[in-house]
Amino acid sequence: MKTALIYSRVSTEEQAEEGKSFETQIKLCKKWAKDNDYQIQETYIDRGKSATTLNRPALQDLLAKCKDDIGIDAILVQDTDRLARNTLDHLTIKAILKKKKINIISVSQPMLDDSPEGNLIDTILASVNAFQSQITGRKVSKVLEEKAKMGWYPGGRPPLGYKNSENPNPTSTLDKRIVVFDPETSPYLKQMFEKYSTNSYSAQKLADWLNSKGVKSVNGGLLSHSTVHNYLSDTFYIGKFLWNDKEYVGKHEKLIDKELFNKVQELLCERNQNASRKRIHNFLLSGFVYCADCKSRFWAEKHTKKNNDTYEHYYCSKCKTGTYTDVGKLEKAVENIFQKIELSKEYTKKIMDSALAMIKDLRENTDIERRKLNIKKTQLEKALKELEDQRFVYKTINDEKYLSISARYEGDIKQIEIDLGRLTVDKSEKIKKLDKLLRLAENIGLAYKEAKPSLKRIYLKMFFEKFEVSKGKIVKYHLSKDIKELIENGSVRVKTTGLPL
Ligand SMILES: [Zn+2]
């Protein structure tokens, strides 16, 4: 039997409302638990608390319990709005609990519970969430963009051969830390370019040479041929740098001249012509492809031929001979299978509705945040005025103190102004992106095709358990448990052409 905790919340206004009492909530949860074979271990109640804050005693107790206890399978709530004020918060809590393999089940809202429907929506929303963390990253970068415009690399560690250092003559807070040569590694990096330009060294040979000289990667490890490859084509060494996909002319010193750099680029290009595309991720289908004959898992490998060409293939680790299949070919075949998956109209609508709810949340939250920022700004402006009075009217503080405090206030006000500007941009960008993603949800095949590798893996996991491969072709596919259920209830359809299930 599975174990569950019940969470129930009533706000002050709701206490009088019928059907919202915690007795009703708990009753519904208990009934659901009984019907679905769950044993209730404990019940948590927040009385007179609103969902706009996660700082609720019972909720905190519950989350603490989940963190320590390993025997809990689910949290039962009557409705998701008991737990969080919006879908995003809900999904966040859900993601936290998921790490502990605990599901949130809202007993009167099958859409967001751990049903196959809920999981598919999560999968689609995963791309929205991924997008949102990008946005958060950009917020930070807006401030750093100013630094980039000044000509100073605003990133973390500069590439090998350089290091961050205190600027002895800073002009503002932005150029307090600047990039300078690292005397220990820069001479070797320079030689690396020179050696490569003679066309008698491969990237691997250079990596070996650098390792033999004790040159460590920025993370302190051994250098690999791909790292060396990246350095060889990095314009940082000729005084430029990339920041947010834009190239800037840097103020840091050039390690090599443009002529040498261009020569190296030509050679890289020649050697690369037949090489396969760069693979940042691991092999996409790892863990999903199996041998149709012996049922063993396929492995993936990258080979470099004598002429430096590389090719990649999947193959059966047992049968080996006759199972080698080109990576691109097999991945394309999987893409084609995704084209066969269709969501029913009703189900697509359900997803659309939950997206609309998210957009509504987003609007409301943006308004709330804007109001909060404006209040903070007003407070700071008031404090600044009082400070001025203290200095110039009442003369209760000295110049030094006045300057240091007012600089801090002014900095905070400037940051709020930046945040306010960003809010509007973020909102419209999020909505645009959400809209686009949902269009893709209408067409899973396209969504898969256009997804980045990491998201492709999420889609793969959602839809498939595995693919069986024989003689370079997918001869059978196994759908995931969730999708099988969705097919049974008519939410999802797989166009059957040829392949047996
Ligand atoms: Zn085999």
Side-chain angles (χ1 to χ4, degrees):
M1 200 182 217
K2 290 181 176 174
T3 316
L5 307 176
I6 292 176
Y7 178 74
S8 148
R9 180 187 64 81
V10 203
S11 70
T12 324
E13 310 88 75
E14 287 167 343
Q15 276 170 348
E17 271 180 69
E18 205 182 325
K20 292 246 170 136
S21 72
F22 63 85
E23 287 94 345
T24 315
Q25 292 177 33
I26 291 168
K27 207 171 90 192
L28 286 167
C29 289
K30 281 191 171 159
K31 184 183 178 302
W32 188 94
K34 201 176 160 224
D35 295 345
N36 292 276
D37 263 350
Y38 275 79
Q39 189 189 0
I40 304 296
Q41 208 184 80
E42 247 169 281
T43 299
Y44 295 81
I45 304 166
D46 272 320
R47 286 185 181 85
K49 295 280 172 194
S50 103
T52 50
T53 167
L54 292 183
N55 193 13
R56 287 166 255 153
L59 178 66
Q60 291 299 327
D61 286 350
L62 177 138
L63 290 174
K65 167 112 179 150
C66 292
K67 234 170 116 187
D68 299 339
D69 229 298
I70 42 167
I72 298 158
D73 299 294
I75 307 296
L76 304 185
V77 287
Q78 186 232 325
D79 210 315
T80 50
D81 70 357
R82 297 301 97 199
L83 209 52
R85 75 186 144 158
N86 62 44
T87 323
L88 286 177
D89 278 358
H90 176 90
L91 289 171
T92 308
I93 296 177
K94 185 167 172 172
I96 294 167
L97 292 174
K98 205 152 205 170
K99 278 189 198 142
K100 291 268 160 195
K101 294 199 164 61
I102 300 170
N103 296 316
I104 298 171
I105 298 171
S106 70
V107 299
S108 58
Q109 246 183 328
M111 280 299 291
L112 286 164
D113 62 18
D114 204 47
S115 66
E117 277 93 350
N119 285 341
L120 181 51
I121 288 176
D122 281 0
T123 302
I124 288 159
L125 291 181
S127 36
V128 181
N129 288 336
F131 171 71
Q132 267 164 348
S133 41
Q134 278 173 25
I135 288 275
T136 321
R138 277 186 44 178
K139 163 184 157 190
V140 178
S141 73
K142 279 223 166 137
V143 177
L144 295 178
E145 202 183 313
E146 285 186 43
K147 184 168 178 174
K149 280 183 188 155
M150 276 179 87
W152 291 113
Y153 179 60
R157 277 196 196 127
L160 208 58
Y162 291 93
K163 63 175 188 179
N164 281 314
S165 174
E166 293 293 321
N167 187 353
N169 308 303
T171 59
S172 77
T173 49
L174 291 175
D175 62 352
K176 261 189 187 159
R177 277 172 78 74
I178 56 168
V179 171
V180 298
F181 283 137
D182 175 5
E184 279 177 30
T185 54
S186 58
Y188 292 111
L189 269 285
K190 196 171 175 180
Q191 285 185 56
M192 173 192 82
F193 277 100
E194 283 159 358
K195 282 176 188 287
Y196 194 84
S197 73
T198 63
N199 203 9
S200 43
Y201 286 83
S202 67
Q204 184 57 56
K205 240 176 155 178
L206 286 173
D208 294 343
W209 172 74
L210 287 165
N211 286 328
S212 77
K213 296 287 177 191
V215 178
K216 300 255 166 59
S217 78
V218 284
N219 299 318
L222 286 177
L223 289 161
S224 69
H225 86 282
S226 63
T227 320
V228 166
H229 220 271
N230 290 341
Y231 288 148
L232 286 170
S233 52
D234 196 335
T235 54
F236 203 95
Y237 297 108
I238 49 165
K240 294 175 180 174
F241 63 86
L242 273 179
W243 180 252
N244 274 349
D245 296 331
K246 244 170 55 194
E247 195 175 63
Y248 292 86
V249 178
K251 283 190 178 144
H252 61 272
E253 271 187 86
K254 293 173 191 171
L255 184 78
I256 55 165
D257 61 35
K258 213 174 163 189
E259 211 176 308
L260 174 59
F261 185 79
N262 287 345
K263 180 144 194 232
V264 167
Q265 299 321 298
E266 274 168 38
L267 287 171
L268 280 171
C269 192
E270 265 172 43
R271 291 195 187 175
N272 248 345
Q273 236 153 36
N274 298 313
S276 72
R277 61 221 142 96
K278 239 198 272 170
R279 211 159 256 285
I280 303 160
H281 267 267
N282 291 330
F283 290 89
L284 182 65
L285 300 177
S286 292
F288 286 100
V289 277
Y290 285 78
C291 177
D293 302 313
C294 75
K295 310 294 176 200
S296 297
R297 182 190 277 234
F298 265 47
W299 288 2
E301 237 172 39
K302 181 175 176 168
H303 277 280
T304 309
K305 285 196 242 173
K306 277 197 185 112
N307 63 3
N308 247 341
D309 284 359
T310 58
Y311 60 97
E312 298 166 321
H313 51 225
Y314 293 104
Y315 66 99
C316 171
S317 51
K318 266 195 190 154
C319 308
K320 288 190 177 119
T321 315
T323 63
Y324 288 83
T325 312
D326 178 65
V327 158
K329 188 181 158 192
L330 208 54
E331 290 178 3
K332 182 79 197 155
V334 168
E335 208 175 281
N336 290 338
I337 294 177
F338 262 95
Q339 306 291 334
K340 296 173 196 281
I341 297 170
E342 283 179 337
L343 304 185
S344 73
K345 279 215 177 68
E346 297 77 26
Y347 189 53
T348 307
K349 191 181 172 304
K350 272 189 193 175
I351 293 175
M352 289 291 174
D353 288 346
S354 91
L356 285 177
M358 285 181 72
I359 290 177
K360 195 168 156 267
D361 282 345
L362 182 65
R363 284 209 185 105
E364 283 164 8
N365 288 337
T366 307
D367 289 344
I368 291 169
E369 208 183 323
R370 182 174 295 126
R371 229 170 292 143
K372 271 190 200 157
L373 286 170
N374 276 322
I375 290 170
K376 228 165 126 194
K377 194 180 158 197
T378 314
Q379 283 168 346
L380 281 165
E381 284 164 347
K382 201 175 148 215
L384 196 59
K385 249 190 202 149
E386 281 165 7
L387 195 71
E388 284 164 5
D389 285 349
Q390 281 170 22
R391 173 72 192 96
F392 302 108
V393 183
Y394 307 112
K395 303 199 171 25
T396 47
I397 52 169
N398 63 20
D399 239 5
E400 197 191 348
K401 198 169 177 197
Y402 166 73
L403 286 173
S404 81
I405 301 175
S406 65
R408 207 178 66 218
Y409 285 168
E410 275 161 8
D412 288 350
I413 290 172
K414 198 178 168 204
Q415 183 58 47
I416 289 177
E417 279 161 0
I418 292 173
D419 287 347
L420 278 166
R422 167 193 58 85
L423 264 185
T424 316
V425 179
D426 282 1
K427 187 178 109 179
S428 69
E429 279 186 21
K430 275 184 203 168
I431 288 178
K432 245 186 265 165
K433 187 82 184 181
L434 200 56
D435 179 62
K436 189 174 166 229
L437 284 162
L438 286 160
R439 275 174 216 291
L440 291 178
E442 285 181 275
N443 186 338
I444 290 290
L446 192 62
Y448 178 77
K449 200 173 163 184
E450 293 187 348
K452 285 184 184 155
S454 55
L455 186 55
K456 275 198 166 94
R457 295 275 301 180
I458 295 177
Y459 281 126
L460 275 166
K461 212 171 159 205
M462 174 68 214
F463 286 93
F464 295 100
E465 202 182 290
K466 59 182 175 182
F467 304 93
E468 289 185 25
V469 178
S470 174
K471 297 188 181 69
K473 289 207 166 70
I474 294 174
V475 291
K476 198 172 174 186
Y477 58 86
H478 301 257
L479 292 161
S480 71
K481 212 173 116 249
D482 281 345
I483 291 301
K484 275 187 199 156
E485 269 185 53
L486 287 170
I487 287 175
E488 273 167 30
N489 74 22
S491 296
V492 172
R493 206 166 73 90
V494 180
K495 285 181 267 179
T496 45
T497 41
L499 285 184
L501 279 173

